[in-house]
Amino acid sequence: MEEEIRAEFKKSGFTFDDEEEILKKCLTFCIEYKLTPSDIVSSWDVFSLNRGLELTVQSAHMSAFLQQLQNEQRDAIIKKDPGLHFYSNDVAMLMNDEYEDTKEDVLHSPQDQPQTLQREQSDSAQKTNGSIFGSRKLLESVTPFGQRKNKFVVQFSLNEQSATEAICVKQEHDDENSEDDIIKRVQPSKRCSIVINASQPEPGCRFMYDRIERKFSFLENRIKRHASNIVETGLFEEPTDPTVASQKSLFAVGMICCEEEGRLKEKPILLQSSVEHSGGQRVRLDLQKLEQFSIFPGQVVGVEGHNPSGHCLVASKIIDYVPLSVSSSENLHPPKKQALDQTVQSTDSSCPTPELSLIIAAGPFTTSDNLLFEPLAELLGYARRKQPQLLILLGPFIDADHPEIKKGTIDRTFDDMFCVEILGRLQDYVEYMGSTASVVLVPSIRDANHDFVFPQPKFDINSRNLNHQIHGISNPGNFTANEVKLACCTVDILKHLSAEEISRNPQGGSKQRLTTLSNHILNQRSFYPLYPPAEGIPLDSSLAPEALHISSIPDILILPSDLAHFVRVISLRKISEGEEVKCVCVNPGRLARGEGGGFFVELNHRGTPDSTTASVIRI
């Protein structure tokens, strides 16, 4: 089995500093946790991505890797039986007064003071901003989140943004007074204009009516659109049938497929061409001659090569991107747009450089040990001081995977929770901030109060008599704020691609996995190019063709993921020499992580990605 483990690591491009020792440990892990060699390599891939490790597997990292495997096994058991509780650290549990809570749950005795305080705080969390401020010290003495350290510390900065401002906010945050804060508050200079592309699908749409012919049409149209765009550049000839034997070099366009169930492997890989060129037939694809590639199931690529036998296409080059000269929005039918904030549309020609200040955060918005939504309250408190023009919140808001929701012990409906805990707090926020603040909400398939389908309609918040400064968009969705184009998708496509992608890099080359995965989204012009979709993703092909397509490259692409948080400027290839198109790609991480705090992103866009400043901040 050690040989199989070694082979799996080699396929993914990894090397060893102490091969014998590492393989022995990995073999032990496989036996102990009943993992296959492919499973252990996939887990290491995620581990190395989250820690920014290089391609060399080091023995010094094995202890931390073992801890991750144990956490994965524990989470899997809890998912099967949410009623189980793991006492991994009895000392810490006693110090946090968790033992009394556990004992009383078993004996069904009356609640003690900490639980009473927690219930009181839950009631106060639904009141005004002043009540939230006044109860902060109470929360700090009750919950692990309130006792966290390193609040509002900058973890990463793009373009050397100073961390001083965040540190000052932390100092003000610790000894603030709500009345003094109102006096000190300064209004943002100008309200941003928001134009939302007409959302697809619409709220109340029919789903679960997907048919096989629609799935076929969805995939066929992707291949044909990709082929048409590549040919229009004039750099490549018209695609031919890759299944026909020929000694001559040929060019074909098709979709990468896996011959068998499970993870894509370098042998065998299949290429499925369009019905127009090959009747939809598949041919084996040989990548042995390529020094570098990165592919995944569902990826549409152009392939140069030859097929002497008619059974195997030997690739000499792979074109995995659509040239930008033919993918701009000018060449596509302009989508119907819904204009919001028409009274503040930017029409001033004296300000040609678009500028936008925003805060981006992705759910869950409450910790796993309660439903107090403390991280959301802290985030809104931070936003009150920083005064961004736009606050973007991405689901899940009412997380269906939350332990309390999965147990069914709550005494409120999901809609009531969303209305009170989310919309109520946001309504208080915009009223406090004034008319210059705006909020955008993006749903998630993990939202218990929303449709479980992807693509997903926006939240129906217009009927709730809310302030018009709170907007909803679909998932995925795109909109324009102050002429800055933004696009976002709350399905964890980066994590799904990292599990399915296989790649080869030149000897000694760096492995920028997160950049490569983000590039796949833009190169494929799709928010979810993976096919078949990952387990648990309710992809509806009848809703997908327009909703998943990226018609033009956004200035800011937001992709929340469980992988390591990042903010990066991505450069895309163009046909014209010397020209580059750049996009700022953001993974804000999760605002809540277990019982502790997570991360969010503060970003200031000043005309171009290179002049954009951003910080990843711990809540």
Side-chain angles (χ1 to χ4, degrees):
M1 192 172 183
E2 286 188 12
E3 292 298 327
E4 296 177 12
I5 297 174
R6 180 191 293 109
E8 287 291 336
F9 273 109
K10 295 293 185 183
K11 284 181 181 179
S12 297
F14 292 107
T15 58
F16 307 94
D17 68 341
D18 187 350
E19 182 172 321
E20 183 178 357
E21 181 67 20
I22 292 173
L23 290 179
K24 285 183 179 179
K25 290 183 178 179
C26 288
L27 177 61
T28 302
F29 299 160
C30 287
I31 295 173
E32 185 173 354
Y33 298 115
K34 299 180 180 179
L35 301 175
T36 65
S38 179
D39 293 336
I40 202 78
V41 174
S42 296
S43 296
W44 175 263
D45 202 6
V46 174
F47 176 82
S48 62
L49 276 173
N50 284 333
R51 286 158 179 79
L53 304 180
E54 295 297 328
L55 288 171
T56 302
V57 182
Q58 298 183 15
S59 180
H61 294 144
M62 285 293 106
S63 297
F65 180 49
L66 173 60
Q67 184 65 41
Q68 173 176 298
L69 292 177
Q70 292 173 341
N71 292 337
E72 289 177 354
Q73 295 295 317
R74 181 194 63 188
D75 293 343
I77 294 173
I78 293 176
K79 189 173 182 180
K80 291 180 180 179
D81 189 350
L84 291 179
H85 183 78
F86 283 77
Y87 301 97
S88 56
N89 192 333
D90 292 337
V91 176
M93 184 176 65
L94 289 170
M95 291 179 66
N96 291 327
D97 293 327
E98 296 178 47
Y99 175 75
E100 294 297 328
D101 294 344
T102 305
K103 182 176 68 175
E104 291 183 356
D105 285 342
V106 175
L107 300 178
H108 303 284
S109 59
Q111 295 179 324
D112 63 353
Q113 183 178 1
Q115 290 180 319
T116 304
L117 292 176
Q118 188 172 6
R119 185 176 63 253
E120 291 174 357
Q121 178 55 33
S122 178
D123 294 337
S124 65
Q126 302 175 18
K127 298 181 181 179
T128 62
N129 296 317
S131 298
I132 294 175
F133 292 145
S135 61
R136 179 173 289 109
K137 298 301 180 182
L138 179 63
L139 273 176
E140 290 180 355
S141 65
V142 175
T143 64
F145 179 83
Q147 299 170 358
R148 72 196 188 284
K149 306 298 181 182
N150 300 323
K151 304 175 186 178
F152 300 105
V153 174
V154 175
Q155 305 293 306
F156 169 81
S157 293
L158 176 68
N159 293 336
E160 299 182 354
Q161 183 181 22
S162 173
T164 306
E165 294 181 358
I167 295 174
C168 292
V169 168
K170 175 186 178 299
Q171 293 173 346
E172 292 180 8
H173 173 85
D174 291 335
D175 45 81
E176 66 183 357
N177 179 277
S178 59
E179 295 180 357
D180 293 341
D181 186 70
I182 293 174
I183 295 173
K184 291 185 293 183
R185 179 165 57 90
V186 179
Q187 291 281 351
S189 59
K190 185 179 179 182
R191 179 177 175 181
C192 68
S193 63
I194 297 181
V195 178
I196 298 180
N197 287 356
S199 61
Q200 293 287 341
E202 295 289 344
C205 67
R206 286 166 35 117
F207 54 94
M208 295 181 65
Y209 288 89
D210 208 5
R211 298 179 179 178
I212 293 180
E213 56 265 31
R214 287 183 176 177
K215 294 182 180 180
F216 168 78
S217 298
F218 167 60
L219 299 175
E220 178 71 9
N221 290 336
R222 276 191 62 200
I223 298 174
K224 292 173 66 175
R225 182 192 292 121
H226 205 97
S228 175
N229 289 339
I230 289 179
V231 171
E232 286 179 17
T233 65
L235 300 178
F236 304 96
E237 59 186 16
E238 188 73 25
T240 58
D241 185 356
T243 64
V244 176
S246 174
Q247 299 298 324
K248 298 181 180 180
S249 178
L250 60 87
F251 175 71
V253 175
M255 184 176 68
I256 299 295
C257 302
C258 186
E259 185 176 46
E260 54 192 24
E261 291 186 6
R263 188 181 179 186
L264 184 68
K265 300 177 182 178
E266 191 169 328
K267 291 183 180 180
I269 297 172
L270 302 180
L271 183 73
Q272 176 180 320
S273 188
S274 66
V275 173
E276 177 183 356
H277 294 110
S278 69
Q281 296 185 71
R282 297 179 176 182
V283 64
R284 195 179 302 272
L285 185 63
D286 187 347
L287 305 177
Q288 294 299 316
K289 292 186 176 181
L290 299 181
E291 293 184 359
Q292 183 176 6
F293 62 83
S294 174
I295 60 174
F296 58 89
Q299 182 183 22
V300 181
V301 297
V303 180
E304 287 184 345
H306 61 282
N307 186 358
S309 65
H311 302 293
C312 182
L313 176 61
V314 182
S316 58
K317 182 179 181 180
I318 284 186
I319 299 93
D320 60 356
Y321 63 97
V322 177
L324 294 177
S325 63
V326 297
S327 63
S328 62
S329 57
E330 289 78 12
N331 294 333
L332 298 170
H333 296 292
K336 179 182 178 182
K337 293 184 178 180
Q338 173 189 7
L340 302 175
D341 311 326
Q342 295 181 357
T343 58
V344 293
Q345 289 290 337
S346 176
T347 57
D348 187 1
S349 59
S350 65
C351 185
T353 302
E355 295 187 357
L356 180 66
S357 62
L358 65 156
I359 289 178
I360 307 167
F365 291 94
T366 188
T367 53
S368 60
D369 58 332
N370 60 58
L371 291 169
L372 300 179
F373 290 87
E374 300 167 79
L376 177 59
E378 295 282 0
L379 177 72
L380 295 180
Y382 181 90
R384 288 185 184 96
R385 286 155 193 77
K386 299 298 288 188
Q387 304 289 320
Q389 293 175 301
L390 181 62
L391 175 63
I392 301 178
L393 302 182
L394 307 106
F397 296 93
I398 309 300
D399 190 3
D401 290 338
H402 192 282
E404 296 299 319
I405 291 179
K406 293 176 73 172
K407 290 178 185 177
T409 57
I410 58 176
D411 57 357
R412 292 184 288 171
T413 66
F414 300 143
D415 284 335
D416 286 343
M417 290 182 62
F418 181 72
C419 185
V420 173
E421 302 291 358
I422 306 299
L423 297 182
R425 294 171 189 263
L426 294 178
Q427 184 75 351
D428 291 341
Y429 166 76
V430 295
E431 289 177 356
Y432 175 88
M433 291 282 288
S435 60
T436 54
S438 297
V439 181
V440 170
L441 303 180
V442 187
S444 164
I445 60 174
R446 283 168 52 184
D447 275 308
N449 63 311
H450 203 42
D451 296 333
F452 183 67
V453 63
F454 182 71
Q456 193 173 26
K458 64 181 181 180
F459 287 121
D460 187 12
I461 59 177
N462 295 329
S463 61
R464 299 181 183 271
N465 195 28
L466 291 174
N467 192 301
H468 62 281
Q469 296 164 248
I470 303 176
H471 314 297
I473 67 172
S474 59
N475 172 35
N478 55 85
F479 63 99
T480 302
N482 283 1
E483 300 182 8
V484 178
K485 294 183 291 184
L486 298 98
C488 46
C489 177
T490 58
V491 170
D492 197 346
I493 179 60
L494 295 179
K495 185 176 181 179
H496 297 167
L497 284 179
S498 71
E500 298 293 340
E501 178 229 26
I502 62 172
S503 61
R504 181 187 298 161
N505 292 286
Q507 190 70 24
S510 61
K511 189 178 182 183
Q512 298 290 337
R513 284 291 305 281
L514 291 175
T515 300
T516 300
L517 297 177
S518 303
N519 262 315
H520 283 318
I521 309 298
L522 298 174
N523 288 335
Q524 291 291 300
R525 302 295 183 269
S526 173
F527 286 104
Y528 199 89
L530 182 66
Y531 193 89
E535 183 179 359
I537 302 301
L539 179 64
D540 192 321
S541 302
S542 63
L543 306 175
E546 293 183 13
L548 295 187
H549 181 61
I550 300 177
S551 59
S552 61
I553 302 301
D555 297 308
I556 302 173
L557 177 63
I558 306 172
L559 300 172
S561 174
D562 292 334
L563 299 181
H565 50 73
F566 65 86
V567 182
R568 296 184 181 179
V569 177
I570 297 176
S571 300
L572 301 174
R573 294 174 248 185
K574 289 198 69 172
I575 293 179
S576 303
E577 293 292 335
E579 292 188 46
E580 279 188 329
V581 172
K582 295 184 178 181
C583 170
V584 179
C585 189
V586 179
N587 170 21
R590 304 295 181 184
L591 193 66
R593 304 176 67 184
E595 296 183 0
F599 308 92
F600 65 94
V601 167
E602 183 177 2
L603 187 146
N604 292 282
H605 183 85
R606 298 185 176 92
T608 64
D610 288 332
S611 61
T612 296
T613 59
S615 294
V616 179
I617 303 172
R618 182 182 296 275
I619 188 64

